[in-house]
Amino acid sequence: MKTLTTTTGEQRVTLHGLTWQQYQQILNALPQTRAAHLIFDCGTLEITMPLEEHEFASELIGLFLRILVVETGLRLRSLRSTTLWRPDLKRGAEPDNAYYIYHQPQVAGRSIDLSIDPPPDLVIEVDMTHTDIDKNQLYAALGVPELWRYNGREWQIFQLWDGCYQGCDRSPLFPWVPKECLYRFLAEAKMDEVEAEKNWRRWVQEQRP
């Protein structure tokens, strides 16, 4: 069965009842430079074509995170939308952004293999429309310690605890940063991205522990 959802933020096509082999065939048939993101969860394949609102949020939240990491002296390995797959779990995902921060030294300078490497420390998902995939369950199964989700209005933060995600008021990675900071940053960036970046970097420099 196929379903189609479209908004100004993204277009989604969902296919149900696929095998892992069929998912792999579709994945391999698509060009490496494609804009669409694929996510597969135990038979359900969702293909998302990001549009303007989605791409704006994804890019700017990534910048928000990068400034936090750089200005607090941490390390970073960015995966962007690299496919994270676990054939043994019949799950594969291409998040909007994924990062190694504390585990960066373990994966520096080489390709990631989730059969032997730890999962990313943080995954960011932007969903402007309804998704048929339970992304919390999927990323919990992959063992991702922290998940950020943004729907154009609300920034949700989840921490993995005993195999399930628990909602948090602040990021466990950056507990000194209130949610209002992202909302303010995105609002300023809609008017002037350069000024928003300068203001956010200045705030982090002044407030970092």
Side-chain angles (χ1 to χ4, degrees), residues 74-93:
L74 298 173
R75 296 184 179 186
L76 188 67
R77 170 74 184 276
S78 302
L79 299 183
R80 294 288 294 171
S81 297
T82 299
T83 304
L84 310 173
W85 60 32
R86 286 282 302 275
D88 56 321
L89 300 176
K90 293 184 172 58
R91 288 183 165 101

Side-chain angles (χ1 to χ4, degrees), residues 65 68-69 72 74-76 99-103 120-124 144-148 155 157-159 168 170-177 209:
L65 181 281
L68 268 175
V69 171
T72 51
L74 298 173
R75 296 184 179 186
L76 188 67
Y99 304 95
Y100 286 94
I101 300 174
Y102 289 117
H103 287 99
D121 295 299
L122 172 65
V123 161
I124 298 174
V144 175
E146 185 170 340
L147 173 64
W148 293 3
W155 175 25
I157 302 169
F158 299 96
Q159 181 181 25
C168 304
R170 300 193 179 196
S171 166
L173 287 169
F174 306 99
W176 49 279
V177 178

Side-chain angles (χ1 to χ4, degrees), residues 21-200:
Q21 289 72 26
Q22 289 171 322
Y23 159 60
Q24 291 290 295
Q25 290 172 355
I26 293 172
L27 195 63
N28 293 332
L30 295 174
Q32 292 295 315
T33 56
R34 59 188 161 79
H37 295 180
L38 277 66
I39 187 164
F40 183 80
D41 184 24
C42 300
T44 298
L45 173 63
E46 185 174 83
I47 304 172
T48 303
M49 179 65 72
L51 300 178
E52 181 181 354
E53 186 180 358
H54 181 122
E55 291 293 77
F56 172 83
S58 175
E59 179 73 16
L60 269 296
I61 294 172
L63 177 59
F64 176 89
L65 181 281
R66 179 174 291 274
I67 290 171
L68 268 175
V69 171
V70 171
E71 295 299 335
T72 51
L74 298 173
R75 296 184 179 186
L76 188 67
R77 170 74 184 276
S78 302
L79 299 183
R80 294 288 294 171
S81 297
T82 299
T83 304
L84 310 173
W85 60 32
R86 286 282 302 275
D88 56 321
L89 300 176
K90 293 184 172 58
R91 288 183 165 101
E94 295 173 356
D96 288 292
N97 290 293
Y99 304 95
Y100 286 94
I101 300 174
Y102 289 117
H103 287 99
Q104 185 272 352
Q106 294 177 238
V107 297
R110 59 183 181 78
S111 298
I112 306 299
D113 181 353
L114 290 185
S115 67
I116 57 175
D117 291 320
D121 295 299
L122 172 65
V123 161
I124 298 174
E125 281 282 3
V126 176
D127 290 305
M128 300 297 184
T129 59
H130 170 76
T131 170
D132 288 342
I133 302 286
D134 186 336
K135 293 187 177 181
N136 283 34
Q137 185 179 67
L138 184 148
Y139 287 114
L142 294 179
V144 175
E146 185 170 340
L147 173 64
W148 293 3
R149 302 190 66 177
Y150 182 72
N151 62 5
R153 301 174 304 279
E154 183 182 7
W155 175 25
Q156 294 180 296
I157 302 169
F158 299 96
Q159 181 181 25
L160 191 63
W161 183 262
D162 197 23
C164 297
Y165 282 121
Q166 303 294 326
C168 304
D169 291 331
R170 300 193 179 196
S171 166
L173 287 169
F174 306 99
W176 49 279
V177 178
K179 281 187 175 182
E180 290 73 18
C181 289
L182 177 63
Y183 300 142
R184 183 173 63 248
F185 174 71
L186 293 176
E188 291 179 358
K190 287 182 178 180
M191 303 304 297
D192 185 341
E193 293 182 25
V194 173
E195 190 65 22
E197 179 177 348
K198 290 179 179 177
N199 291 340
W200 175 230

